Amino acid sequence: MLRFLFSILVSSIITTLVVFVPVPIFAGPPFQTDDPEPVEYKHCEIYLASQFKHDKDGDSATLPHFEFNYGIVPDAMLHLIIPFQYNSPSGEKAHYGYGDTEIGIKFRFIQETEWMPMAGTFPLVEIPTGSHDEGLGNGKAQVFIPLWLQKSWGPWTSYGGGGYWINPGDGNKSWWFWGWEVQRQLSEALTLGAELLYRTADTDDGDNSFGFKAGAIINLTGNHHVLFSVGCDFSGPNRFSSYIAYQLTFGP
């Protein structure tokens, strides 16, 4: 099954590189790889979502988390995630409570043209509001500084890039994240996509990881959407991960 999904992903990437033929795009959720495109000015996105991870050392999830994105000025948006976190290490007591709050601002500094990809950045700060002792938070503030690129060809869109996570704390390491996603709009109601992900270790005794996710965006109406994805590591600690969300979009 993994070989089959990986073959589809590779084929999609190759096709994207050779097809040169612009369409409404969805980027970011339900994927980990992000994009440089902010929410339109005075428009808003609200997500009610849950993310689950089954790793070699236990399970963790957001149950649920709320995400808010608002286009504060042209080419820039404000971002907020309010998470309720579940953590169940193998052989230890499970904990549930409020996790680390995420804030950020996405800024697009290059518009896409026929030959030029869109480019932007999306700095994030993880505020340590969750209990570190219960595994619900990092214990110290984390900062992510990325660069994202995106290009579209007809029904195809491809985006990706990466950045550096500043990750202080005893036993922690600052680390790199890289990802690239390919998606195709099959109809006004359905978009399918897949991504490859690579990250370096974020703790002194951690491992680098390389994995994938495949997912879909279903447009119930112009304002109501359902997003989901599943994946795992080819090499690394993650055995299975999933994301599901209801998204409401609106604006003037």
Side-chain angles (χ1 to χ4, degrees), residues 215-227:
I217 300 103
I218 301 170
N219 301 317
L220 304 177
T221 70
N223 301 99
H224 302 275
H225 319 274
V226 174
L227 306 84

Side-chain angles (χ1 to χ4, degrees), residues 68-82:
F68 305 90
N69 299 316
Y70 179 71
I72 188 170
V73 295
D75 294 319
M77 79 176 196
L78 295 179
H79 165 79
L80 170 68
I81 289 183
I82 298 172

Side-chain angles (χ1 to χ4, degrees), residues 47 53 163 182:
Y47 298 82
K53 290 176 63 181
V182 175

Side-chain angles (χ1 to χ4, degrees), residues 23-69:
V23 342
I25 6 182
F26 294 86
F31 301 103
Q32 259 183 277
T33 305
D34 219 316
D35 66 281
E37 185 168 27
V39 175
E40 291 183 47
Y41 178 43
K42 294 184 179 180
H43 284 67
C44 187
E45 295 177 341
I46 300 175
Y47 298 82
L48 172 61
S50 179
Q51 186 167 326
F52 172 78
K53 290 176 63 181
H54 171 61
D55 292 342
K56 64 178 183 178
D57 297 324
D59 298 333
S60 62
T62 56
L63 293 171
H65 70 260
F66 301 90
E67 179 176 346
F68 305 90
N69 299 316

Side-chain angles (χ1 to χ4, degrees), residues 121-190:
T121 187
F122 192 6
L124 299 171
V125 178
E126 300 287 336
I127 303 171
T129 49
S131 170
H132 178 62
D133 292 338
E134 296 179 346
L136 304 178
N138 188 64
K140 292 186 179 294
Q142 302 172 83
V143 178
F144 183 48
I145 305 171
L147 173 66
W148 301 115
L149 305 174
Q150 178 174 290
K151 193 74 180 74
S152 297
W153 300 268
W156 292 92
T157 296
S158 185
Y159 60 86
Y164 189 65
W165 275 97
I166 300 170
N167 184 32
D170 293 339
N172 290 344
K173 292 174 60 175
S174 295
W175 54 283
W176 290 94
F177 171 86
W178 304 98
W180 203 273
E181 192 264 7
V182 175
Q183 65 186 40
R184 191 182 195 282
Q185 184 180 25
L186 300 181
S187 68
E188 290 186 1
L190 180 63

